[in-house]
């Protein structure tokens, strides 16, 4: 089976995972978790990109969105605001999976709407960092 190329994209404030609101987002940095993921999925080529800037996230979606097997995106607060990221996902051919660490539906009402969900293949919400592992499993089982 050929190696699957998977791009993980994290949006604003997710560079602070492990330090940021640990009761909501846990104690582990994404870099540490990414090492766990790479060990768990030796048949995948996984790439990790994080940016606090909307345009940089859009550029990354354009860059990988016609050749990679999947994009897993946690757009952070841009999930709830960004028509531009939704349009970038609409523009590409690679399937995109939306993930959230917290269960956004248990939180403030402004987190209940996502501009991205309707243009994504599916959404995985509320399983902590394990949301990313579930997303990769779904790519491998597709
Ligand atoms: C988040 C949920 C968003 O509402 C929030 O703005 C984030 C993280 C999550 O992974 O739970 O930054 O996407």
């Amino acid at each position: 089976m050929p190696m699957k190329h998977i791009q993980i994209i994290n949006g604003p404030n997710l560079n602070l995972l492990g330090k940021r609101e640990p009761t909501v987002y846990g104690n582990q940095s994404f870099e540490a978790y990414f090492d766990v993921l790479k060990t768990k999925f030796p048949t995948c080529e996984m790439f990790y990109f994080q940016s606090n800037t909307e345009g940089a996230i859009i550029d990354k979606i354009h860059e990988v969105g016609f050749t990679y097997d999947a994009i897993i995106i946690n757009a952070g607060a841009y999930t709830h605001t960004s028509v531009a990221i939704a349009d970038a996902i609409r523009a590409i051919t690679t399937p995109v999976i939306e993930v959230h660490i917290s269960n956004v539906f248990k939180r403030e009402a402004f987190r209940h709407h996502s501009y991205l969900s309707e243009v994504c293949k599916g959404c995985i919400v509320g399983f902590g960092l394990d949301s990313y592992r579930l997303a990769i499993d779904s790519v491998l089982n597709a």
Side-chain angles (χ1 to χ4, degrees):
M1 239 218 302
M3 283 277 229
K4 297 259 188 202
H5 286 73
I6 299 178
Q7 177 71 55
I8 297 176
I9 300 178
N10 275 344
N13 302 306
L14 293 165
N15 54 313
L16 296 182
L17 281 177
K19 295 187 190 125
R20 169 196 188 198
E21 298 179 82
T23 53
V24 181
Y25 299 114
N27 295 305
Q28 200 171 12
S29 72
F30 198 81
E31 287 73 11
Y33 180 65
F34 189 55
D35 284 340
V36 174
L37 281 180
K38 282 191 290 195
T39 314
K40 243 188 230 299
F41 295 104
T43 63
C44 293
E45 273 246 69
M46 273 189 286
F47 302 88
Y48 172 52
F49 175 78
Q50 188 279 329
S51 178
N52 294 320
T53 307
E54 194 173 19
I57 293 168
I58 292 166
D59 287 342
K60 181 55 77 177
I61 292 169
H62 293 175
E63 182 191 318
V64 302
F66 294 91
T67 50
Y68 278 38
D69 297 293
I71 296 174
I72 294 167
I73 189 165
N74 182 349
Y78 286 142
T79 305
H80 318 299
T81 63
S82 183
V83 174
I85 293 176
D87 278 351
I89 295 172
R90 267 189 195 94
I92 60 165
T93 53
T94 295
V96 179
I97 300 165
E98 176 181 354
V99 302
H100 297 287
I101 298 164
S102 65
N103 181 349
V104 286
F105 301 105
K106 269 193 189 165
R107 301 181 65 194
E108 305 94 318
F110 68 84
R111 295 186 205 274
H112 298 180
H113 177 258
S114 164
Y115 282 98
L116 311 188
S117 300
E118 70 175 280
V119 292
C120 285
K121 184 172 182 198
C123 309
I124 298 173
V125 172
F127 293 94
L129 286 173
D130 202 37
S131 295
Y132 295 85
R133 195 267 306 164
L134 290 164
I136 298 166
D137 270 336
S138 81
V139 174
L140 295 183
N141 294 331

